[in-house]
Amino acid sequence: EQIGYKLLTGGRFERLKNWIESIPNFALKTHPMLCYWYVPTLLYKDELDKAEKYLQIIETAEPEELRRSLIAEVWTSRSLVEIVCGNVDKAEEFSQKAFDSLLPDNDKQRAAAFHTKVCCARLKGDMKITEQVVIEALPFYQRAEHFLFETWGKTYLAFSRAMQGHLGEGAIALQNVIQYAQEHIPNRPEPFIYPHSALCDINYEWNNIEVAKTHLDEALTHIQQ
């Protein structure tokens, strides 16, 4: 319970999943926060059908004060399940329920809720709205020290600039994402794959073929992880 957030935000999904699966199920009922840390690892491994069981453990947790303090996380998790399944209407409904259930001044809960809002906007394909939501979300990601969410948010903004024809701005922003990921979540391959792939495209567009190849090689190296 004490280190779950740090493992999750640092992208150590496999380690967190293995540790929680080593704990007997009956213990999870008396430590429901572990269920919340567990659900994102199930999404990462595409084991969506298992998530609801653990969310229901949180919903029946005792005492009531503990249950109320975790209900925002339940709706955040349900929204993320629907996002993975591509059900944008349900995802938005559950995202709003997460916002309605937030504890005051809880940056971690608010960062997770904003992540669902960003994902819903992306799923709907509206680039401008997604940009606005990401810009709104980034301060909460930073305050919550959620390095993975912040990396994804910054990556999307960089993509967006490049896709709108601002290749120079996009390239600088992507390099900054890579540097940020190296400093905060060097163990995860995903934060490097997408920026290097995009930088390959940008440099190919500029006819910088050797630089493009370098970024492509970096992306392939991380994919192999």
Side-chain angles (χ1 to χ4, degrees):
E1 285 177 315
Q2 299 300 316
I3 63 173
Y5 186 77
K6 184 176 181 181
L7 289 172
L8 196 63
T9 58
R12 295 185 176 273
F13 294 104
E14 293 90 345
R15 179 175 295 184
L16 184 57
K17 189 173 191 288
N18 291 338
W19 284 356
I20 293 178
E21 287 177 349
S22 300
I23 299 171
N25 260 334
F26 72 83
L28 299 183
K29 294 180 180 179
T30 55
H31 297 274
M33 198 67 204
L34 291 175
C35 295
Y36 176 59
W37 301 143
Y38 186 47
V39 168
T41 73
L42 295 175
L43 301 187
Y44 184 72
K45 288 294 185 180
D46 203 25
E47 298 177 19
L48 307 182
D49 55 320
K50 297 181 181 178
E52 184 60 27
K53 169 186 173 181
Y54 295 95
L55 296 176
Q56 290 180 10
I57 290 176
I58 300 174
E59 285 187 315
T60 57
E62 296 292 344
E64 183 182 353
E65 183 181 356
L66 173 63
R67 185 167 66 250
R68 285 202 309 266
S69 72
L70 297 176
I71 197 66
E73 277 94 341
V74 171
W75 290 115
T76 294
S77 298
R78 285 188 174 133
S79 180
L80 291 173
V81 170
E82 298 300 332
I83 286 163
V84 173
C85 294
N87 301 326
V88 68
D89 290 340
K90 277 288 183 185
E92 285 188 313
E93 176 189 342
F94 295 158
S95 175
Q96 187 56 53
K97 287 185 177 182
F99 274 97
D100 293 341
S101 308
L102 291 174
L103 295 176
D105 302 320
N106 189 313
D107 290 331
K108 293 177 182 178
Q109 282 190 351
R110 194 166 294 275
F114 261 110
H115 182 59
T116 65
K117 194 174 180 181
V118 169
C119 289
C120 286
R122 288 187 61 191
L123 202 58
K124 293 172 82 171
D126 191 317
M127 187 179 295
K128 286 294 184 184
I129 291 178
T130 306
E131 275 190 10
Q132 293 169 8
V133 177
V134 171
I135 291 169
E136 189 179 359
L138 279 172
F140 296 102
Y141 295 165
Q142 291 161 356
R143 289 209 289 268
E145 295 186 335
H146 203 307
F147 303 127
L148 208 52
F149 286 175
E150 187 172 352
T151 301
W152 289 338
K154 289 178 175 179
T155 300
Y156 181 81
L157 291 180
F159 278 171
S160 180
R161 298 310 295 159
M163 289 170 66
Q164 293 178 65
H166 304 286
L167 300 187
E169 288 181 36
I172 292 170
L174 289 164
Q175 292 285 9
N176 289 338
V177 169
I178 291 169
Q179 183 177 345
Y180 180 86
Q182 287 172 337
E183 293 172 359
H184 297 285
I185 43 175
N187 57 297
R188 293 295 337 148
E190 301 94 328
F192 299 98
I193 293 170
Y194 300 112
H196 278 299
S197 297
L199 284 166
C200 173
D201 287 341
I202 289 171
N203 278 279
Y204 181 82
E205 186 72 18
W206 286 337
N207 204 35
N208 296 334
I209 303 302
E210 291 306 315
V211 177
K213 285 181 180 178
T214 300
H215 286 295
L216 178 58
D217 289 341
E218 286 286 345
L220 291 172
T221 298
H222 288 290
I223 285 170
Q224 289 169 359
Q225 297 178 26

